Amino acid sequence: FSSRSIIESNVSARAFNSSSGPTWSMRRFRLDALICDATSVMSRTGRSSSQDAIANAAALDQAGTHIVTLAQDNAFGKDGVKAFKGAVKKAKIVHEEYLPAATTDFTAAGQRIIDKLKDQPGKKVVWIIWAGGNPFKIADMDLKRYGIEIATGGNILPAMVAYKQFPGMEGALYYYFGIPKNKVNEWLVSRHYSQFKAPPDFFTAGG
C-alpha cells in the first residue's frame, strides 16, 4: 500500500520497536509528512527508559551524595539523564558525561569523571545509563581509590555479567527473574525454562 492510500482509507498507523533509541526517534513519525486526519499511535509494553531513570534517582537521591552521569550521546542517553536529573532532589549532580554508543575506550571520560568527583565530600557516585557495550571498563581506572562508586539500573542477563565485579552496587531494577516472589512470576519462569531452556530476560516480562 502507498502512504496516500493508507491515509485515504482513514486507518490508524501503529509503530512498534524493541529498542529505546529508535522508538523515541519514531515519535516524530508521519506518513510522508502529510498533514491529515489519520491517527498515528506509538505503542509500548512495560516500562520506559525514563521511568527506569526516575526509579534509579529515587534509589540514589540522598543528601550529601555527589553524582556524575555517564550516558550514550543519543536520545536514549540524553532523555534518561534528563528524567534522572528531574527526579533528584537531595543529591547534587556535578557533571554529565556523554559518549558515542560505540565507545570502547573510556580512559578520557573516566579521567574527567575522576576530576569532577575526587575532591567532593560525602558519597561519590557514577550513575551509568547505557545500552550494549561495556561502560563498566571505567572501573579499570581504580575509582575506588578516590572513594567513587558505580551505580546503574537493570539490564539484559548477558550485560549483567559485568555487575559481578561490583558487589553491593545500588540502583533500581525493572525485572530480574529471581527477584519477584509470586505465583505469576513462578509461572513465567517455569514456562520459559520449559520452552526455551533459559530464564526469562529483562524484556520478556514486558511482552
Side-chain angles (χ1 to χ4, degrees):
F1 297 97
S2 69
S3 58
R4 180 168 293 280
S5 67
I6 292 174
I7 292 170
E8 291 174 348
S9 299
N10 196 31
V11 301
S12 61
R14 289 186 176 267
F16 296 86
N17 202 293
S18 60
S19 177
S20 302
T23 299
W24 184 250
S25 298
M26 286 170 66
R27 73 194 190 282
R28 302 185 182 91
F29 170 75
R30 295 291 185 274
L31 295 173
D32 285 352
L34 293 173
I35 299 175
C36 61
D37 293 330
T39 303
S40 62
V41 180
M42 290 298 296
S43 299
R44 70 179 175 92
T45 61
R47 91 289 175 258
S48 71
S49 297
S50 292
Q51 289 169 333
D52 286 350
I54 292 169
N56 275 272
L60 302 173
D61 191 18
Q62 299 176 6
T65 298
H66 293 80
I67 302 172
V68 166
T69 61
L70 172 60
Q72 290 168 319
D73 190 11
N74 55 24
F76 166 72
K78 290 182 177 179
D79 288 311
V81 170
K82 181 179 179 181
F84 181 86
K85 288 173 58 181
V88 169
K89 305 301 180 184
K90 301 175 184 178
K92 183 176 181 180
I93 298 174
V94 297
H95 178 62
E96 299 171 30
E97 186 72 31
Y98 297 98
L99 297 173
T103 298
T104 56
D105 185 353
F106 292 84
T107 305
Q111 189 57 56
R112 288 191 292 271
I113 290 170
I114 289 172
D115 290 344
K116 292 293 183 178
L117 284 174
K118 64 180 182 180
D119 295 325
Q120 298 289 350
K123 189 173 183 177
K124 295 170 276 194
V125 178
V126 182
W127 179 66
I128 300 175
I129 176 169
W130 203 274
N134 184 15
F136 301 102
K137 289 181 179 179
I138 63 169
D140 294 341
M141 300 181 69
D142 194 15
L143 302 181
K144 290 183 179 179
R145 62 180 167 147
Y146 301 105
I148 299 173
E149 303 175 19
I150 289 178
T152 192
N155 211 321
I156 59 175
L157 294 174
M160 290 181 69
V161 173
Y163 292 15
K164 292 182 178 180
Q165 62 184 305
F166 308 110
M169 181 172 65
E170 297 179 317
L173 182 69
Y174 161 61
Y175 178 77
Y176 177 74
F177 73 96
I179 293 179
K181 305 299 182 183
N182 56 60
K183 292 182 178 181
V184 173
N185 189 60
E186 290 174 2
W187 175 89
L188 175 62
V189 173
S190 176
R191 288 294 298 269
H192 206 277
Y193 267 114
S194 177
Q195 186 169 351
F196 301 106
K197 313 304 179 186
D201 210 340
F202 186 79
F203 292 109
T204 307

